[in-house]
Each structure stands twice: as structure tokens, then as C-alpha cells.
Amino acid sequence: RRVLFRSTLRASPEARSSGTTPTTAAIYIDRAGSTEITNSGQIIGDGLAAIRVATGNVSLTNSGAITGDVVFGPGDDMYAPKTGSTLLGTLDAGGGNNFLFLNGAGDFATKTLNFTLMIKNGAGTWTLHNSQAISSQANILDGVLRVAPDGRLQAPAVGVVSGVLAGNGAVD
């Protein structure tokens, strides 16, 4: 399955309280298998999660704006923000082997939970803000991964292949 989104999608809290189909997110996925979501528009949780996944593996590429939490389920998931994208909410990878892929450049201020691996690839600088907890390893393959003064990269191992780890935030 593939979902391409280029406009504005807003969750409807009214549907939840009116007795119609329950709404827990602007996008809700409860189906086994793999789903690829590509957002270049706006996904708005409006008091609910922007994206919630109950089952399945999800690959989410964001070059637009997401307002609200993104909550992946127990599958193996991937989040890839693009230059200029925003995610205003918590990014919870849930269970499984989950991958945060930073390619190019940008500011990443979203609080993350339950990611297994982080990769910084491509020319340019990604700047981390807030707490970024990675359970296995963070790798810088190319470009610069900068940890801002308000940022914290928590990973048992940080590998620098041909990129640069910079900044004056915490790395532990």
C-alpha cells in the first residue's frame, strides 16, 4: 500500500464523539503488511494523533508539515524527514526495529522514542534539538550531525564514517 499526500488532512474529533466510526488520528492504519506514506502537504491531529499505526510496517517520508503525535505500532518502521519538513509532536516508533533516516539538511526538534537506529546521510547539516533516544546505534555516514545546546543524542554507540559529529549539546 502507498499513501501519497499533498494537501491538508485534519483529524475530526467530532466524529469520535458523534457515535460514527471512531477517530483516533488523521491517518489510522490497522492492517498487516507494509505501508508507505509520503507527505508533502499538512497532516493535522487537531487534538488527536496525526498518524497512529496499530499493526503493520510503515515507512513515512515527510517533506511537509505534521502537527500532532506520530505513533507507530509493533512493526518495523522508518521515518525520513526531508529538508524544510516539520513534525510538531512526539515521534514514538513503538516496538520492532525502527529506523530514523536523516538525509540532506534541516532542524530536527521532534522528541523521539523507541528508535533502534539513526542514520545521517548526504551532504548538509541536520541539527538535533530535544532528546533523541536511540537504543542501538547512531551513524553519521556523510555530512554533519550537529547536536544543538538544547539537544541530547542518547545512543549506546555513535559511529562517524565520513561525516562529522558537531555541536555543544549532550551525547551519551
Side-chain angles (χ1 to χ4, degrees):
R1 285 177 309 275
R2 188 170 208 202
V3 178
L4 299 173
F5 199 75
R6 295 185 180 104
S7 187
T8 300
L9 177 65
R10 181 182 301 268
S12 172
E14 295 80 23
R16 181 173 35 138
S17 61
S18 69
T20 61
T21 303
T23 303
T24 61
I27 296 176
Y28 181 77
I29 298 169
D30 187 6
R31 188 171 171 194
S34 295
T35 301
E36 180 181 328
I37 302 171
T38 302
N39 174 47
S40 61
Q42 294 182 59
I43 301 172
I44 303 168
D46 202 15
L48 303 171
I51 300 171
R52 183 176 303 277
V53 179
T55 58
N57 305 317
V58 174
S59 173
L60 171 59
T61 301
N62 182 28
S63 62
I66 298 174
T67 304
D69 295 341
V70 174
V71 183
F72 292 126
D76 298 335
D77 305 304
M78 189 270 300
Y79 178 69
K82 298 296 183 185
T83 300
S85 67
T86 59
L87 195 163
L88 303 174
T90 298
L91 178 60
D92 185 347
N97 293 309
N98 304 299
F99 179 52
L100 177 60
F101 187 69
L102 304 174
N103 191 26
D107 281 315
F108 191 77
T110 304
K111 180 179 179 183
T112 60
L113 302 169
N114 300 313
F115 276 88
T116 309
L117 179 65
M118 173 192 287
I119 298 287
K120 164 55 182 98
N121 195 27
T125 300
W126 271 98
T127 301
L128 300 181
H129 302 271
N130 292 318
S131 176
Q132 310 304 326
I134 309 299
S135 65
S136 178
Q137 187 165 346
N139 291 317
I140 304 154
L141 303 180
D142 196 12
V144 177
L145 182 65
R146 180 179 170 270
V147 182
D150 66 338
R152 177 180 213 116
L153 174 59
Q154 297 172 289
V158 177
V160 179
V161 177
S162 64
V164 175
L165 177 62
N168 49 6
V171 178
D172 53 13

